[in-house]
Amino acid sequence: MSLKNMEQNSVRYRPRRKNNETRMRCETERLTNNAEPRRKKSTRRRRICDLLAHVPTFLVRFLRLLSFVMFLLPAFVVFVWYYVIAGDRVAVYYGKKNKARDPIFSRHILDIYGSRSPSPSGDEKKPVVIFVTGGAWIIGYRMWGCLLGRALAPFGVIVVIPDYTNFPKANIEGMVEDVDRSIQWTFDNIHKYGGDQSRVVLVGQSAGAHIGGVVVALKALDHIRRDYRNLETTYTPQQLRGFISTSSPSNLVTMRPVFHNHGLSESVQRSIFGGTAVDNEVFEKWSPFHIIEKCQTKCEGNLGDFFPKICIVHGTADKTVPVSEAYAFEKLLKRLGVQHTSRIYEGWSHTDPILEAPMRGNHKYHRDVLDLVRQWTGEDRTKVFPTNFDEHHPHLG
């Protein structure tokens, strides 16, 4: 074959090869486009099946919750009556924005209990408790702390209970910022309501104890490093006379499967704690346990100097957050030299300290909180106080 014929054949077959490549590319794109709807349909089908598989469990838990509410309905009526009408309570805006510009039904409101009640000790300024309520980071509301405010106000304690933005309107970062800002507001303004800003104790329950623990740990970390600030507020962790952590999930890594088994799925957990990664990094970032460990790696002196006194409170019958969480957290604090104590309540559930026990007339938790406040704030115990918690104390009006 001549060279001229070879060149002609080469030119003749090139377009055909190009057409074949184009045809194959189009076929690949067609198959890919057809596979995408099937993949989405398969994912949707799996999600629906997963949802249906949990329906029986959901119904059982819903019926249990409904029964619980029905049995406690008379107590809840008294509870709501005190909160709405009969309590020594003042609602105050603490948000960063101007109140007029904040949305209606703003979560940047805090309740102050005891500002109008006379102090039995005769002190001009009263010690202050900031109580951060729980609610699985989803249903937290300041009214959940009503019974604690009712119990402590007659004993000359100001109780501040802030709201904070819940999920899905905010993730954990927004919640921490809200609680941190409410603490700063308390230091700056509580003297206007009869409180002593130099005698402030932070208390939290469940998710509220977790958020409070994150705030305390991040504050300590900020003052250890000094080159970077996690929180924009100016108070120091040492200004808090103490922190009472009640029924707290302090280690989010070990709590992941527990939450999942209780209906808080892995995807929801990752959404709450601000990340989509499947590993533990995002959970360690917002876990008091791991933040305190990080403090230790950055601290050159005594780590305990950067923390307020801590008390761990937990019930042995807690199925929401196992009591093993309290034991592990206490072991960590002991190993790192952070001053702490504990109160373990035999047979108490997750919400017994703030709900069921007070409604039964058992004020053990309230008494322990009051004793710790007096101890940490230097309250003079020789002064006259009411001897018992009374559901009809005259100061409660």
Side-chain angles (χ1 to χ4, degrees), residues 132-201:
V132 186
T133 59
W137 304 277
I138 298 173
I139 57 171
Y141 186 53
R142 63 187 189 274
M143 189 175 75
W144 307 157
C146 174
L147 295 181
L148 183 69
R150 174 187 175 93
L152 298 185
F155 290 83
V157 178
I158 298 286
V159 181
V160 177
I161 307 179
D163 255 342
Y164 54 88
T165 310
N166 288 319
F167 178 82
K169 192 174 181 181
N171 60 21
I172 187 63
E173 185 174 3
M175 301 178 207
V176 168
E177 288 178 356
D178 283 352
V179 171
D180 181 50
R181 189 178 301 126
S182 72
I183 296 173
Q184 183 68 65
W185 183 97
T186 302
F187 280 118
D188 293 342
N189 297 279
I190 200 61
H191 64 280
K192 302 174 185 176
Y193 300 88
D196 186 347
Q197 62 265 48
S198 67
R199 296 191 292 165
V200 177
V201 173

Side-chain angles (χ1 to χ4, degrees), residues 40-169:
K40 290 182 178 179
K41 188 175 181 179
S42 176
T43 302
R44 191 180 302 115
R45 188 182 296 114
R46 284 198 304 270
R47 288 177 178 175
I48 293 174
C49 291
D50 184 60
L51 179 63
L52 292 176
H54 287 83
V55 167
T57 303
F58 172 78
L59 288 176
V60 170
R61 290 176 177 171
F62 176 76
L63 291 174
R64 288 174 59 188
L65 177 63
L66 188 62
S67 301
F68 174 79
V69 172
M70 292 300 295
F71 280 117
L72 287 178
L73 186 59
F76 276 120
V77 171
V78 176
F79 184 92
V80 173
W81 168 264
Y82 172 73
Y83 181 78
V84 175
I85 297 176
D88 175 6
R89 179 178 66 90
V90 179
V92 181
Y93 178 80
Y94 75 85
K96 187 176 181 180
K97 301 177 182 178
N98 184 288
K99 184 178 181 181
R101 297 182 180 179
D102 223 354
I104 192 169
F105 304 121
S106 170
R107 301 291 297 183
H108 299 145
I109 304 291
L110 54 79
D111 288 335
I112 302 175
Y113 293 84
S115 63
R116 297 193 297 263
S117 298
S119 173
S121 68
D123 289 344
E124 293 183 2
K125 297 294 183 181
K126 306 174 184 178
V128 180
V129 165
I130 303 173
F131 181 59
V132 186
T133 59
W137 304 277
I138 298 173
I139 57 171
Y141 186 53
R142 63 187 189 274
M143 189 175 75
W144 307 157
C146 174
L147 295 181
L148 183 69
R150 174 187 175 93
L152 298 185
F155 290 83
V157 178
I158 298 286
V159 181
V160 177
I161 307 179
D163 255 342
Y164 54 88
T165 310
N166 288 319
F167 178 82
K169 192 174 181 181

Side-chain angles (χ1 to χ4, degrees), residues 268-285:
V268 174
Q269 291 181 54
R270 288 194 293 271
S271 298
I272 290 174
F273 299 114
T276 57
V278 296
D279 57 18
N280 289 327
E281 182 180 353
V282 66
F283 296 93
E284 292 178 356
K285 179 181 178 181

